[in-house]
Amino acid sequence: MRFIFQLFLSFLVPILVDSTVYSPNSPTICLAETNKGCQEQMKMKNQTLESVNDNFPPLKALMKNYTEQCQNVMKCASGLECFKGKSEKAIFQTSCDEVGIKRYGFDYNCMAPILKRVYQEEYICTKDFGYKMLNLTVAQSLFKSEKQCFLTIARNACDTTNYNFFLKNYDEIVEVYTSRPVPDNSFCASTSDKFHRLQCEKLDGGFMTKATSVPVLSVNLSNPAVQDVVEISEAMEKCMQESCWVFNEDEKNSSKVFTDTFQALPANLTNVFKLRPRLLEYKCLANMSFYDFYHEQMSCVRINEAPDCFMFTITKFCREEILTDFENLEVSMGPKNQYNSPEFAFSMFKDNKKKRRFVITMNDEKAF
Ligand SMILES: *[C@@H]1O[C@H](CO)[C@@H](O)[C@H](O)[C@H]1NC(C)=O
Ligand SMILES: *[C@@H]1O[C@H](CO)[C@@H](O)[C@H](O)[C@H]1NC(C)=O
Ligand SMILES: *[C@@H]1O[C@H](CO)[C@@H](O)[C@H](O)[C@H]1NC(C)=O
Ligand SMILES: *[C@@H]1O[C@H](CO)[C@@H](O)[C@H](O)[C@H]1NC(C)=O
Ligand SMILES: *[C@@H]1O[C@H](CO)[C@@H](O)[C@H](O)[C@H]1NC(C)=O
Ligand SMILES: *[C@@H]1O[C@H](CO)[C@@H](O)[C@H](O)[C@H]1NC(C)=O
Ligand SMILES: *[C@@H]1O[C@H](CO)[C@@H](O)[C@H](O)[C@H]1NC(C)=O
């Protein structure tokens, strides 16, 4: 008995590990030298940059102009002593600003809300899109063929100013957001890189609502509602791994941990209910949704609170009932070596109530 008890205590005691350390993007180098050595080009570029405001993304003409100016700075900067042996990306980072990848008011207040509605399948006209939009070529042709549909969504999703901007510049916006830059330098600086990343953030669609509607006790891989949320999680993971733009170095790895944990959950739950069927009778899990459980497990995973966050979470929710069961078991059956396996002990609990009744009956019979 004591052995099992200690085993559970070890789940309950948090193991604190240093929380994740975030490192910033690679620092800009040779800025002073570039300002000095390429003053003319920098000045021209800076002038063009003044035409870019925080509210609206630059469209074709301004983007082309800016790109030319920044390429001029790069051409000049690559001849500077300071950049000897440095990568083209380093020169790019110093010479050019985040004009394409930057998020403007329009992105927050219009494009993101539109994508959210598309992935929530709120509109019939985009219901069949699935994850097709993640392919930029396909996205462009869908924007073109379903223009009326996207404008209808925008009218509901965006404020008037942004809706008018979208309406007035629809074709250009679509082109800028869904075209790969020419030449494609893979510096992850283009508007299409931003657009792809925006989709990763919005494609979770109804994930939370859907995962909240599934009771944790009915989670198994043959449940269609479970298959649905697992699919969303897989799409999210794929998108994040393909996205070139990250908030910080850790982001890809931690998002993988989040999605992997979620995808393992149905099998983990099926498994634990099979080994420890008594859990199915506990009140602690009765009203809990799949999402609640995952959410709690992730708060453990996030801070590395326990070596096995899955069991940690079950124990956390059901501690009272588990402890009560242990007391009952001790009273009714007393210690026995074979019960020292937690797996076995749990399966014994299933018949705990009957056993207790059985013990009493025996006593009564003895009395006769
Ligand atoms: C260009 O703008 C940047 C950022 O505002 C500034 O640091 C730099 O001194 C400017 N360079 C020139 C040559 O005007
Ligand atoms: C491009 O930038 C230059 C320099 O700032 C400016 O003179 C010109 O008017 C710009 N052209 C467009 C189309 O914005
Ligand atoms: C995107 O879709 C186009 C057209 O259907 C296809 O040719 C291309 O291979 C796709 N790209 C990717 C990365 O899947
Ligand atoms: C899976 O869950 C569904 C919904 O709760 C249930 O009807 C079905 O019997 C379960 N299947 C298995 C194999 O447990
Ligand atoms: C992310 O994971 C990869 C592969 O497992 C590893 O090589 C890399 O060091 C990790 N990066 C961080 C920042 O933890
Ligand atoms: C949960 O599932 C993962 C992946 O299948 C597995 O590695 C892990 O051991 C499981 N955890 C538990 C407690 O069953
Ligand atoms: C579970 O939900 C039912 C109905 O909503 C409620 O009556 C019951 O008290 C809840 N049980 C727990 C343990 O929260």
Side-chain angles (χ1 to χ4, degrees):
M1 221 45 195
R2 190 172 299 138
F3 171 73
I4 304 172
F5 204 78
Q6 279 169 350
L7 206 89
F8 277 107
L9 276 185
S10 76
F11 290 137
L12 298 173
V13 178
I15 298 165
L16 295 173
V17 176
D18 286 349
S19 52
T20 334
V21 180
Y22 295 124
S23 19
N25 283 330
S26 51
T28 307
I29 56 168
C30 305
L31 184 59
E33 288 84 349
T34 309
N35 268 323
K36 192 155 160 268
C38 306
Q39 200 176 4
E40 238 358 86
Q41 291 87 340
M42 267 297 214
K43 223 157 113 190
M44 289 279 284
K45 187 204 73 174
N46 280 0
Q47 251 172 41
T48 308
L49 198 58
E50 274 168 24
S51 318
V52 180
N53 72 49
D54 286 342
N55 297 325
F56 303 112
L59 298 179
K60 272 171 73 181
L62 184 53
M63 205 63 202
K64 183 165 179 284
N65 200 338
Y66 176 79
T67 305
E68 274 167 24
Q69 308 296 340
C70 119
Q71 277 170 354
N72 287 341
V73 180
M74 282 182 75
K75 234 179 275 168
C76 166
S78 60
L80 295 174
E81 186 64 27
C82 182
F83 278 116
K84 275 253 159 69
K86 298 291 190 294
S87 69
E88 203 187 344
K89 185 160 186 177
I91 302 172
F92 174 83
Q93 274 181 348
T94 305
S95 308
C96 306
D97 312 81
E98 296 192 325
V99 166
I101 197 94
K102 180 182 154 175
R103 294 186 189 195
Y104 300 88
F106 173 76
D107 294 311
Y108 291 114
N109 300 319
C110 199
M111 191 50 92
I114 289 172
L115 291 173
K116 185 173 165 207
R117 282 164 174 77
V118 169
Y119 283 110
Q120 277 180 340
E121 301 179 348
E122 277 181 33
Y123 292 81
I124 290 165
C125 51
T126 61
K127 243 191 163 66
D128 300 333
F129 284 13
Y131 301 113
K132 286 184 220 155
M133 291 246 300
L134 290 171
N135 177 323
L136 291 173
T137 316
V138 176
Q140 188 168 84
S141 65
L142 287 174
F143 268 119
K144 282 179 178 162
S145 63
E146 300 292 340
K147 181 169 174 173
Q148 275 320 308
C149 168
F150 277 105
L151 285 174
T152 304
I153 298 176
R155 200 167 47 229
N156 296 322
C158 314
D159 58 81
T160 313
T161 318
N162 280 301
Y163 171 69
N164 287 337
F165 175 75
F166 195 41
L167 181 65
K168 183 165 167 245
N169 304 292
Y170 188 87
D171 297 340
E172 258 193 73
I173 292 171
V174 165
E175 194 176 332
V176 171
Y177 273 68
T178 59
S179 303
R180 297 296 310 158
V182 183
D184 189 352
N185 51 28
S186 308
F187 292 155
C188 200
S190 82
T191 309
S192 61
D193 294 322
K194 168 176 71 185
F195 179 67
H196 183 268
R197 167 70 199 216
L198 267 181
Q199 291 199 72
C200 299
E201 291 168 24
K202 294 300 165 191
L203 68 72
D204 67 332
F207 177 80
M208 198 177 133
T209 319
K210 284 173 180 171
T212 302
S213 73
V214 180
V216 76
L217 293 180
S218 63
V219 170
N220 66 50
L221 279 168
S222 37
N223 183 340
V226 172
Q227 288 167 2
D228 192 14
V229 283
V230 167
E231 232 171 73
I232 295 176
S233 157
E234 284 165 357
M236 219 148 48
E237 174 165 353
K238 183 164 180 284
C239 191
M240 283 299 294
Q241 298 309 315
E242 284 171 359
S243 170
C244 65
W245 192 90
V246 288
F247 272 117
N248 55 57
E249 253 178 57
D250 264 357
E251 198 186 32
K252 274 191 190 188
N253 286 7
S254 44
S255 84
K256 188 165 160 48
V257 170
F258 272 60
T259 45
D260 284 352
T261 303
F262 184 76
Q263 285 156 35
L265 253 183
N268 283 166
L269 285 165
T270 305
N271 221 7
V272 80
F273 293 146
K274 208 165 93 195
L275 287 171
R276 297 155 186 179
R278 179 75 175 175
L279 283 172
L280 292 166
E281 292 168 26
Y282 282 170
K283 285 196 189 68
C284 50
L285 298 176
N287 284 1
M288 183 164 294
S289 75
F290 191 14
Y291 182 79
D292 294 335
F293 190 92
Y294 173 62
H295 184 76
E296 191 63 33
Q297 188 181 347
M298 280 325 298
S299 49
C300 165
V301 170
R302 198 169 10 230
I303 56 172
N304 254 319
E305 197 171 0
D308 183 343
C309 280
F310 174 69
M311 285 312 294
F312 176 79
T313 306
I314 288 194
T315 316
K316 183 172 174 176
F317 283 130
C318 298
R319 177 169 32 197
E320 293 304 317
E321 283 172 275
I322 289 169
L323 291 180
T324 307
D325 262 353
F326 273 112
E327 278 163 18
N328 289 343
L329 193 71
E330 206 155 36
V331 169
S332 61
M333 308 203 303
K336 238 183 194 178
N337 277 346
Q338 74 196 96
Y339 305 134
N340 275 355
S341 130
E343 244 63 317
F344 189 68
F346 251 120
S347 58
M348 292 302 288
F349 289 161
K350 190 171 170 55
D351 291 326
N352 208 14
K353 282 202 190 93
K354 269 191 218 125
K355 285 242 159 60
R356 241 181 303 158
R357 235 179 286 129
F358 180 68
V359 171
I360 293 165
T361 311
M362 289 289 285
N363 285 346
D364 286 349
E365 273 172 0
K366 255 188 207 165
F368 273 107

